[in-house]
Amino acid sequence: EFDKDNIPEDVIKKIEPYIHREDFDPAAIKKASVACEAICMWCRAMHKYHFVAKAVEPKKKALAEAEAELSEQMVKLNKAEAELKQVEDKLNKLQADYDGAIAKKEELEAQKKSCEIKLVNAGKLLGGLGGEKSRWTETVNGLVAMSDLIPGDCVVAAAMVSYVGPFTSEFRVHLEQMWEKRLSEEQLPHHTGVRMKDVLGQPVKIQQWVVQGLPNDILSVENAIIMDTSRRWPLLIDQIGRA
């Protein structure tokens, strides 16, 4: 096999004169010999290929060097991209940690504000409760004092429920006053001017009775209290038929 890429220069010099001859032409030689025509064409082709290859060879070497350098640079580029990827991953992690820290900070600030508001409200509440302490003390003392008067009040209330149903409002007042006087004689503690309505009456319930049609006079209210607290049907004075 002919080595067309390494034709010696002396061979090129020897065929150089023939290449420039006018009679060394494939068309002219074909008239004499077809076989020689092919040889002429091959010689001219090898001569032309030699110079073309000679011109292309530096470029091929330059291309090979460029490809080698490109390959080397690609290796460096891939390495740099891998390092950049690691840096970006680390940066993304740091960014995520930073965002998490900011969110936590905002949450803690919100909790702090909430706690501050609660502390202020608690301070106001404690201040208000401190102001109510004296009133509560007075109320407790009043309830303690009232508890000492309950026995006498209950005696009057029980007597009213048991006995005064058939009597008029004026006679009921007379009986309450008489029983209160007897309590004083027996030194049994009780409220001054004790009335059954004050002992057994519940203002909210009485108001409900009035809304439902009960007259708001003292006799009707006392009758309603007697009916509400009695275990049996009581005998009542009910001149308007509302019992």
Side-chain angles (χ1 to χ4, degrees):
E1 184 178 353
F2 185 74
D3 187 6
K4 62 183 181 298
D5 294 321
N6 296 296
I7 302 175
E9 287 295 330
D10 57 345
V11 173
I12 296 300
K13 289 179 180 180
K14 287 180 181 180
I15 67 172
E16 189 74 29
Y18 297 98
I19 296 299
H20 296 293
R21 285 180 57 169
E22 293 182 2
D23 57 353
F24 193 69
D25 181 69
I29 294 175
K30 181 180 181 181
K31 296 177 182 180
S33 173
V34 176
C36 290
E37 178 194 11
I39 294 175
C40 176
M41 293 174 65
W42 182 79
C43 290
R44 282 184 172 278
M46 289 299 100
H47 180 269
K48 186 175 183 180
Y49 178 81
H50 172 75
F51 287 101
V52 172
K54 193 174 181 180
V56 172
E57 185 64 25
K59 297 179 181 179
K60 291 175 65 177
K61 290 182 179 179
L63 176 62
E65 292 175 357
E67 289 177 346
E69 184 177 358
L70 176 62
S71 178
E72 182 180 352
Q73 294 301 324
M74 287 300 295
V75 172
K76 293 181 179 179
L77 177 61
N78 293 335
K79 181 179 179 181
E81 288 180 346
E83 293 176 352
L84 177 62
K85 181 68 168 52
Q86 292 179 354
V87 173
E88 289 178 345
D89 292 342
K90 186 175 181 180
L91 180 61
N92 291 334
K93 184 177 182 302
L94 291 175
Q95 184 66 39
D97 294 342
Y98 173 77
D99 293 340
I102 292 297
K104 185 66 175 178
K105 173 176 172 290
E106 293 176 352
E107 180 183 356
L108 292 175
E109 288 179 348
Q111 292 180 358
K112 176 187 174 185
K113 291 180 180 179
S114 177
C115 290
E116 289 175 349
I117 293 173
K118 290 179 180 179
L119 286 174
V120 172
N121 293 336
K124 293 179 179 179
L125 178 61
L126 290 175
L129 293 177
E132 292 291 316
K133 180 180 179 181
S134 58
R135 188 178 67 82
W136 289 351
T137 301
E138 293 177 0
T139 301
V140 171
N141 292 335
L143 291 175
V144 172
M146 289 176 60
S147 65
D148 294 336
L149 304 178
I150 289 176
D153 293 349
C154 288
V155 169
V156 175
M160 290 287 290
V161 171
S162 301
Y163 302 114
V164 303
F167 302 122
T168 62
S169 179
E170 293 77 8
F171 192 67
R172 291 178 182 182
V173 172
H174 171 70
L175 290 175
E176 284 179 324
Q177 294 174 349
M178 182 182 68
W179 289 330
E180 181 183 0
K181 181 178 179 181
R182 184 61 182 272
L183 291 174
S184 299
E185 293 174 355
E186 299 294 334
Q187 297 183 351
L188 186 62
H190 62 280
H191 279 95
T192 302
V194 57
R195 300 296 302 273
M196 177 186 69
K197 178 182 177 183
D198 299 330
V199 178
L200 300 179
Q202 301 178 26
V204 175
K205 183 177 288 189
I206 293 173
Q207 185 61 35
Q208 290 177 348
W209 292 338
V210 172
V211 171
Q212 293 171 0
L214 179 72
N216 201 18
D217 61 277
I218 186 63
L219 179 65
S220 299
V221 173
E222 288 180 347
N223 287 343
I225 294 174
I226 293 172
M227 290 184 64
D228 187 56
T229 56
S230 296
R231 293 184 179 180
R232 298 180 180 180
W233 296 103
L235 176 63
L236 300 174
I237 296 297
D238 185 27
Q239 67 272 20
I240 59 176
R242 293 300 180 89

